[in-house]
């Protein structure tokens, strides 16, 4: 049996995630009190269901604080348990609530929307570390759907899943990053008019960067650091590690470095690559 738990901030895209799970053939349950998770799993197993997706968040009430312990217990009940936590910046969440005109679950007549979001973020702080965290601040709905599908296609196993994610500092640092490396000190292909419209996956940009010794040294140094500390994350029972590589616009240098690192770690971990600044 596979159990996918989905949590996160209100307005971060949990409904999108649930729709993806349902489209993939999962039995979907929204807004289930976390205390009922063991009973739900037992009941659905008896009914013959093999894939379940459940949204658990602050709507479940005070019982949400016991979710970390319940997750450990659930790991002994199912063959494959995955936890997805969706997050977004406060300003993005406020804009989304303003657009939809929906009421925040923790909103009341005595607090602002910003205060309700801050309270929710505080209540979910421990839960955010339970599994894969995705920052949806700058993601279109279709991009989020694709990322979730990639998350679900990860093969179950003992290897840690390492995600290399390129981004542009001018768009902000991703909230889901565990490690952040800044490669803005490297020569920028943006200043070459012929390379400007290309990305770090295009051969002319690759050729440009491979001719610069400092670029190779940067890749080597980041690889050595991550390779050295990856066992510590494995020993800490981490299932996922997100490594963000940032340049100014997130189009050339960070993309190239993320692709290079992903290729080097293919034999050491389950590797994914994402690029935030283009599809």
């Amino acid at each position: 049996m596979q159990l996918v738990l989905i949590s996160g901030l209100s307005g971060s895209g949990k409904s999108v995630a649930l729709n993806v799970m349902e489209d993939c053939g999962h039995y979907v349950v929204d807004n289930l009190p976390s205390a009922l998770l063991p009973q739900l799993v037992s009941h659905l197993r008896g009914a013959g269901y093999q894939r379940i997706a459940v949204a658990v968040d602050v709507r479940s009430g005070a019982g949400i604080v016991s979710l970390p312990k319940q997750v450990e217990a659930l790991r002994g009940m199912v063959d494959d348990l995955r936890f997805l936590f969706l997050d977004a910046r406060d300003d993005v969440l406020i804009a989304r609530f303003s657009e939809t005109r929906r009421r925040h679950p923790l909103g009341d007549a005595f607090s602002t929307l910003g205060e309700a979001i801050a309270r929710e973020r505080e209540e979910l702080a421990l839960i955010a570390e339970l599994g894969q965290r995705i920052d949806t601040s700058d993601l279109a709905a279709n991009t989020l759907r694709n990322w979730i599908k990639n998350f679900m296609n990860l093969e179950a196993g003992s290897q840690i899943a390492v995600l290399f994610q390129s981004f542009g500092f001018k768009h902000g640092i991703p909230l889901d990053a565990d490690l952040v490396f800044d490669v803005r000190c490297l020569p920028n292909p943006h200043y070459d008019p012929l390379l400007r419209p290309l990305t770090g996956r295009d051969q002319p940009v690759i050729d440009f960067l491979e001719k610069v010794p400092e670029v190779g040294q940067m890749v080597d140094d980041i690889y050595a650091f991550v390779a050295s500390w990856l066992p510590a994350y494995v020993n800490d029972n981490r299932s996922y590690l997100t490594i963000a590589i940032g340049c100014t616009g997130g189009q050339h240098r960070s993309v190239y470095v993320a692709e290079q690192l992903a290729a080097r770690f293919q034999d050491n971990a389950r590797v994914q690559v994402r690029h935030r600044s283009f599809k």
Side-chain angles (χ1 to χ4, degrees):
M1 173 178 280
Q2 180 187 76
L3 173 62
V4 181
L5 297 179
I6 300 172
S7 189
L9 278 294
S10 301
S12 61
K14 296 192 297 296
S15 296
V16 174
L18 283 175
N19 289 336
V20 172
M21 295 295 103
E22 190 168 23
D23 291 343
C24 291
H26 288 69
Y27 183 90
V28 172
V29 180
D30 189 17
N31 192 20
L32 181 78
S34 59
L36 298 180
L37 279 169
Q39 294 94 314
L40 175 71
V41 170
S42 297
H43 174 75
L44 293 180
R45 177 188 283 113
Y49 290 93
Q50 293 300 314
R51 294 190 292 175
I52 309 167
V54 183
V56 183
D57 50 46
V58 293
R59 295 173 297 171
S60 300
I64 193 72
V65 298
S66 63
L67 186 59
K69 292 183 179 179
Q70 290 168 342
V71 167
E72 292 304 314
L74 289 167
R75 293 189 188 279
M77 299 179 63
V78 299
D79 303 306
D80 180 9
L81 188 149
R82 307 185 188 190
F83 195 103
L84 184 63
F85 187 91
L86 303 182
D87 201 348
R89 298 191 306 271
D90 287 3
D91 62 304
V92 174
L93 295 175
I94 291 174
R96 290 174 181 174
F97 272 99
S98 299
E99 291 172 0
T100 61
R101 299 183 180 180
R102 294 184 59 218
R103 177 181 174 274
H104 192 280
L106 299 183
D108 54 42
F110 305 101
S111 60
T112 66
L113 176 57
E115 291 170 342
I117 292 173
R119 189 160 69 251
E120 181 183 29
R121 192 179 294 282
E122 182 179 357
E123 293 184 10
L124 295 178
L126 293 177
I127 297 172
E129 306 302 325
L130 292 178
Q132 176 69 57
R133 187 177 179 186
I134 296 180
D135 175 12
T136 69
S137 300
D138 302 309
L139 299 183
N142 284 337
T143 303
L144 177 57
R145 292 187 188 98
N146 290 332
W147 284 21
I148 293 172
K149 289 178 181 178
N150 290 336
F151 168 76
M152 290 309 304
N153 287 336
L154 289 174
E155 297 177 0
S158 58
Q159 281 187 314
I160 188 172
V162 180
L163 166 65
F164 292 97
Q165 177 174 293
S166 70
F167 73 96
F169 274 95
K170 69 179 184 180
H171 303 302
I173 298 176
L175 295 177
D176 49 355
D178 296 302
L179 298 173
V180 178
F181 293 95
D182 182 355
V183 299
R184 287 176 293 183
C185 61
L186 301 178
N188 192 351
H190 172 81
Y191 295 110
D192 185 329
L194 297 178
L195 302 180
R196 186 173 303 164
L198 305 179
T199 75
R201 294 189 297 188
D202 293 316
Q203 194 59 47
V205 175
I206 294 174
D207 293 341
F208 173 90
L209 293 172
E210 286 184 343
K211 292 178 181 178
V212 182
E214 290 82 3
V215 175
Q217 183 179 349
M218 176 71 79
V219 175
D220 290 342
D221 288 348
I222 296 176
Y223 173 82
F225 180 88
V226 175
S228 175
W229 285 100
L230 190 59
Y233 287 98
V234 174
N235 293 336
D236 193 40
N237 296 316
R238 296 286 294 271
S239 299
Y240 307 94
L241 183 67
T242 299
I243 300 171
I245 311 295
C247 62
T248 304
Q251 182 175 333
H252 298 106
R253 295 165 292 179
S254 62
V255 172
Y256 171 82
V257 173
E259 293 281 351
Q260 292 295 311
L261 291 170
R264 294 195 185 190
F265 278 95
Q266 285 289 348
D267 296 332
N268 305 99
R270 292 178 286 136
V271 173
Q272 281 187 299
V273 186
R274 295 181 188 153
H275 303 298
R276 295 188 66 91
S277 297
F278 61 90
K279 297 181 180 180

